[in-house]
Amino acid sequence: MTLDRYRASRIAWLGFGLATSLVLSTVVPVQPARAQEDAVEQLSTAQQVTELFEELDERLQKIDRLKSDLRKEEGPAAALIRSQIIEQQVKYRRDLSKLTELLTEAPDGGLELEDSREELGKRLEADARQLETDLDGQQERIRELLTMQDSGSAEDKAKAFERFPVELGYANRLYRASRQNLDDRRALGLDVSKDAAKLGERLRRRAELGSGALQESKKRVDQIAKQPGVEEDAEAQKQLAREREHLGLLAESQRLTVDLLDEYGENTADYRQGIISATGEISDDILNAEVAKGLAEESADDALSWLK
């Protein structure tokens, strides 16, 4: 169905709804009360659907303009524009979910409602592809930042630590959005098995990467904390605080990853155990019987190593 035909059907649907509403409000009712309520509800749904689609179109236009501006900028100006793009994408995806909820809960509205569902399905599919592209790019950015933190110059390390919370936070948003996109398409009755499998594989790779990053971060924290005279060294304390903050960000991201992996029926005990071992923090959302068993075995191994 072409976009012009789709828009025409929406306008016709809204016009029919308005006419129906006027008739109901000026003519002595001949229909049962329930039928009148259904007609008013259908009008309300039509208005909301139309308004949400218009908002989606406006947001896409804003995103396109910002992307065009981004290609002309670099440095702080580019970072600002990119943050604006991310903000608009978040709002766009929020409206997609609102529209999904509205159309899946709405009473049967005939051909017009089916047209709206079809159009929404196409937009969700298109956004799923955009999410995949964004995830690929974000994964590469985070790898570059981790490399800079490990082996870059002092200046590069400082820049990487400053940028890392923003980039990791955006990656976390993208993974949440990908899961929501799958949920929305399922609600519309679309087949998402292939995309769900791809997201599951992404999450497994991310969990492995996150596990290694946690271990390296914990190692750096321990090295600084064990330096002689660290308590009196202001620069060392500053570096230690930065490394601990970094460790906390990695742990938070890893929690999100393993929570999403749980939905795939994965055994995430080792990953959860790794979070506790790295941070020393135990919470109800991260600890279960399997994790507790692993921690007990780890403690026993440490005790035996010490006795030897």
Side-chain angles (χ1 to χ4, degrees):
M1 177 178 195
T2 65
L3 188 58
D4 289 340
R5 182 188 158 198
Y6 167 71
R7 285 174 175 164
S9 69
R10 282 196 313 188
I11 293 170
W13 185 24
L14 182 57
F16 172 76
L18 286 168
T20 302
S21 178
L22 288 171
V23 169
L24 289 172
S25 62
T26 57
V27 178
V28 176
V30 294
Q31 295 177 311
R34 181 59 197 166
Q36 295 180 44
E37 291 173 6
D38 288 345
V40 172
E41 183 177 353
Q42 186 177 4
L43 169 62
S44 177
T45 300
Q47 289 174 320
Q48 292 179 67
V49 167
T50 298
E51 289 169 3
L52 280 170
F53 271 116
E54 289 173 352
E55 286 181 20
L56 289 173
D57 290 338
E58 290 173 5
R59 294 206 191 283
L60 281 180
Q61 291 170 9
K62 285 182 182 178
I63 291 171
D64 288 341
R65 287 196 299 268
L66 287 167
K67 285 183 176 179
S68 177
D69 293 341
L70 181 61
R71 287 190 285 270
K72 307 170 190 173
E73 301 290 346
E74 58 183 24
L80 177 60
I81 293 173
R82 189 161 171 263
S83 68
Q84 293 173 340
I85 292 173
I86 292 170
E87 180 184 356
Q88 289 300 320
Q89 287 175 331
V90 169
K91 291 178 179 178
Y92 179 80
R93 287 163 183 151
R94 178 199 63 196
D95 287 346
L96 283 176
S97 291
K98 282 184 181 178
L99 198 47
T100 301
E101 183 178 357
L102 182 64
L103 287 172
T104 53
E105 293 181 356
D108 184 15
L111 179 61
E112 293 84 359
L113 188 57
E114 287 306 312
D115 286 345
S116 296
R117 286 177 176 150
E118 180 183 347
E119 174 67 13
L120 176 59
K122 290 177 181 178
R123 294 194 184 218
L124 286 167
E125 292 279 1
D127 194 49
R129 305 289 78 79
Q130 183 62 54
L131 282 163
E132 288 182 350
T133 300
D134 291 347
L135 280 168
D136 287 338
Q138 204 61 17
Q139 183 175 319
E140 188 58 34
R141 287 190 191 94
I142 289 172
R143 280 178 176 166
E144 290 174 359
L145 290 173
L146 289 173
T147 300
M148 288 170 64
Q149 290 169 1
D150 288 336
S151 56
S153 65
E155 183 180 356
D156 285 342
K157 285 182 178 181
K159 288 180 179 178
F161 274 104
E162 181 181 356
R163 193 62 197 164
F164 189 79
V166 176
E167 300 298 344
L168 187 64
Y170 180 42
N172 291 340
R173 275 184 168 184
L174 289 173
Y175 276 101
R176 290 191 185 97
S178 296
R179 196 275 306 275
Q180 184 61 51
N181 181 280
L182 289 174
D183 289 346
D184 289 343
R185 284 189 284 158
R186 284 193 190 99
L188 290 175
L190 301 176
D191 181 8
V192 297
S193 55
K194 290 183 179 179
D195 284 347
K198 284 196 287 187
L199 180 59
E201 186 56 36
R202 273 187 188 277
L203 289 167
R204 292 181 197 98
R205 292 198 302 267
R206 191 182 198 230
E208 286 296 322
L209 178 64
S211 181
L214 272 174
Q215 292 175 20
E216 289 300 316
S217 182
K218 177 65 164 56
K219 194 182 299 181
R220 290 198 299 268
V221 168
D222 290 343
Q223 286 173 348
I224 298 171
K226 292 176 182 177
Q227 291 176 2
V230 67
E231 295 296 335
E232 291 76 33
D233 188 334
E235 185 59 33
Q237 284 296 310
K238 182 179 178 181
Q239 187 180 1
L240 183 59
R242 184 181 68 181
E243 291 286 359
R244 282 174 172 163
E245 180 184 3
H246 179 71
L247 178 61
L249 290 170
L250 287 171
E252 180 183 353
S253 180
Q254 187 74 335
R255 286 189 187 96
L256 168 65
T257 303
V258 297
D259 284 346
L260 292 175
L261 270 177
D262 277 341
E263 297 179 9
Y264 285 85
E266 294 282 327
N267 184 346
T268 59
D270 287 345
Y271 297 131
R272 293 181 184 278
Q273 182 180 330
I275 295 171
I276 295 172
S277 297
T279 63
E281 298 175 358
I282 300 177
S283 58
D284 291 340
D285 66 325
I286 207 74
L287 184 65
N288 57 33
E290 190 105 14
V291 176
K293 178 183 176 184
L295 289 171
E297 291 172 351
E298 183 179 280
S299 298
D301 289 342
D302 289 344
L304 286 172
S305 297
W306 182 79
L307 287 171
K308 290 178 183 179

